[in-house]
Amino acid sequence: MWRKLRSMEQTPVSDNQCDALVFFGATGDLAYKKIFPSLQAMIKRGTLNIPIIGVAKSGWSVERLRERARDSLEHHGGIDTAAFSRFMELLRYIDGGYEDLETFKQLKNTLGRAERPAHYLAIPPTLFATVVEHLAAAGCAPAGARVVVEKPFGRDLASARVLNRILLEHFTEERIFRIDHYLGKSPVHNMLFFRFSNSLHEPVWNRQHIESIQITMAEDFGIQGRGAFYDSAGTIRDVIQNHLFQVLSNLAMEPPARTDSESIRDEKVKVLKSIRALGPDDLVRGQFRGYREENGVARDSQVETFAAVRLSIDNWRWQGVPIYIRAGKLLPVTCTEMVARLRKPPSILYDKSRPNYTRFRIGPTAEIAMGLNVMDSEETGVGQIAELIASRQAGANERDAYERVLSDALLGDRTLFAREDYVEEAWRIVDPVLGAAVAPLVYEPGTWGPAQATGVTPLGGWVDPIVTGEGR
């Protein structure tokens, strides 16, 4: 028997913290795989002690949702008895359609006297407008309310502007939290700390010393039954325009004037504003053989499952340094890493020295490495590259990406969330090549993309990640 639920008024929260969490899409796949485990972890850590209200149209009861949450945790991280018990006390459920205003009137009653609810829209973007408008109409969006939205933030620049306009009709920018869970990953978060807490790299982190930067996001799996979604998106929309631009911003931004969220986000926007829009010669698109036979995929699909792009940042630090990004499905390994290749040293003593580099690995392990020339084992003077590596595995108590971003949203910390101008600048860069008329090049599963993709290749070639049981 579940203990009697506490009223909204009895939950103590700070002045800036949300006093209720509403998540739409409570019966969906994202809730099952990511949200339920994150909520239990937040409760266990002591960062979540407010009512949690799930909303969906599934014909379920709150008991059925509790069963779903239990099953989720049994398959994704395990159940912590005390935290799960508290989770079930806090959990409510409203079953109703998003188009039905009565659903939101019921939500208003359930919220009671909550003044700062966070509305998490873990639903398709096509429903954002309806939900936001009904929240406002039913009085569920008071001055302290927040809205948390999942990517994608539009399909192109025009749709992103429409979406932003809809959100801003009912919520100020300070109350809109656009989630890109990639920024919640600890290694991505650590990039800024590494850059701005160490003096080692700053003297060479510029166009005078760095020859090129390349970012690879490789996945050794396919679309995993998401054919309908993926065929409406593709690699550029799915990961390059959002995840990998965020990584690039962390690598290329200037030190912020202050450590508040707006100062940090200002510097990230400056990076994107300095990037030229992509042209046809800056892009190679590929599609793995067999993609068109996947369920939900059009038999004549022109959607890419691999893309390589070349970017130029026209500012004082980076002008003339080409930036290469590639991402794809069914590549040889699953790994995300960045390599900054330095200019080759003068050939005075040894004429076969190779460029030094710095390598950041985001996954599957977290690594920071420097590639240096050392004498070869035969001492022939030819030399060889050796890496100095700092590597770590995620600790048992480390927050995962969703726990981090949800915790920050409830606290009102906007650092890890995309601002309106950032979203629109990111779409501006890729907008000219979306829906490219040229068909994607076919590549074989288990290879590094199309063999013909030589037009977008760094000087010295791509550095293919090596993944072993120990990391690299």
Side-chain angles (χ1 to χ4, degrees), residues 14-70:
S14 67
D15 290 340
N16 198 42
Q17 185 176 356
C18 290
D19 52 9
L21 171 61
V22 182
F23 72 103
F24 294 83
T27 61
D29 194 54
L30 181 62
Y32 182 78
K33 293 181 178 179
K34 297 293 184 181
I35 299 175
F36 289 139
S38 295
L39 295 179
Q40 178 184 258
M42 292 164 67
I43 292 169
K44 181 179 179 181
R45 202 180 298 276
T47 58
L48 179 62
N49 190 34
I50 57 177
I52 303 166
I53 306 168
V55 183
K57 179 61 175 175
S58 298
W60 289 16
S61 63
V62 67
E63 288 76 17
R64 176 74 184 277
L65 186 64
R66 287 171 178 152
E67 292 173 3
R68 174 79 164 174
R70 176 181 288 277

Side-chain angles (χ1 to χ4, degrees), residues 295-370:
N295 290 333
V297 174
R299 295 297 172 258
D300 60 349
S301 175
Q302 301 298 306
V303 169
E304 76 280 352
T305 61
F306 171 94
V309 301
R310 177 177 51 235
L311 302 168
S312 299
I313 303 178
D314 289 329
N315 64 18
W316 187 263
R317 182 185 291 264
W318 295 114
Q319 189 174 60
V321 178
I323 314 292
Y324 298 89
I325 298 177
R326 64 173 174 173
K329 300 285 189 182
L330 286 180
L331 301 185
V333 299
T334 295
C335 183
T336 302
E337 70 178 24
M338 181 285 301
V339 175
R341 182 177 279 148
L342 277 69
R343 301 188 186 281
K344 188 177 178 180
S347 299
I348 298 176
L349 292 177
Y350 306 106
D351 62 358
K352 294 186 179 180
S353 295
R354 285 170 284 182
N356 303 135
Y357 61 82
T358 295
R359 179 173 61 82
F360 291 93
R361 174 165 291 184
I362 297 170
T365 56
E367 294 179 0
I368 300 173
M370 290 185 290

